Amino acid sequence: MNRLGEQLPEQRLDIRAMERRWHKRYKVNVAASIAFNGCPLPQPCRIRNYSMGGLFVVTQAPLRRHQFVTIWIPQLDGGMKLVRGMVIHLTNGGAGIEAEERFWARGCDFRCEAKRPKPS
């Protein structure tokens, strides 16, 4: 029963288990670079998935939660896509980054690795 004396249903919704993403997530495996305050040179990373709101990177760089980062993503035309964001979630070897700009992935080509010639 709640404080009003009403009977609560047996199965209650667990808010902690709810999905909190706003955008669909896409799996990729793209080499990129990540830079952050306190690191003089960009560090290698791999983008494992992305959405229009952020991305997940695997890296050995010592990231901290709420740290601002910049990620360089190579593009097919030889240019780089710059994504600025904040570390929101940390796991062993990886980090969830919330992008500063929503819909940042529009116009970003994640096929760049597939188009590169393989070394002989």
Side-chain angles (χ1 to χ4, degrees):
M1 284 195 190
N2 65 13
R3 291 185 209 166
L4 300 174
E6 299 168 338
Q7 186 66 32
L8 294 175
E10 288 296 317
Q11 291 182 331
R12 287 189 264 172
L13 182 61
D14 185 2
I15 293 175
R16 294 171 295 178
M18 288 178 62
E19 179 65 44
R20 292 181 277 171
R21 292 188 179 121
W22 290 71
H23 307 285
K24 182 176 165 73
R25 193 156 290 274
Y26 301 94
K27 289 184 180 183
V28 292
N29 187 10
V30 175
S33 299
I34 187 167
F36 51 93
N37 197 11
C39 181
L41 296 173
Q43 302 293 307
C45 68
R46 290 204 76 80
I47 300 170
R48 294 297 185 185
N49 62 55
Y50 75 95
S51 73
M52 291 297 167
L55 50 121
F56 184 82
V57 297
V58 175
T59 182
Q60 296 301 315
L63 299 175
R64 295 184 325 269
R65 196 160 181 233
H66 299 134
Q67 184 174 34
F68 291 104
V69 297
T70 302
I71 299 169
W72 282 273
I73 307 168
Q75 298 297 288
L76 281 174
D77 63 4
M80 290 285 184
K81 173 76 173 183
L82 227 66
V83 179
R84 290 184 177 89
M86 180 188 288
V87 176
I88 298 298
H89 179 73
L90 287 172
T91 65
N92 289 342
I97 312 289
E98 182 178 347
E100 178 181 77
E101 178 185 325
R102 291 284 179 230
F103 306 109
W104 66 272
R106 287 185 178 158
C108 188
D109 197 336
F110 287 104
R111 298 172 298 155
C112 60
E113 209 160 80
K115 298 286 183 182
R116 290 192 184 136
K118 295 190 181 356
S120 328

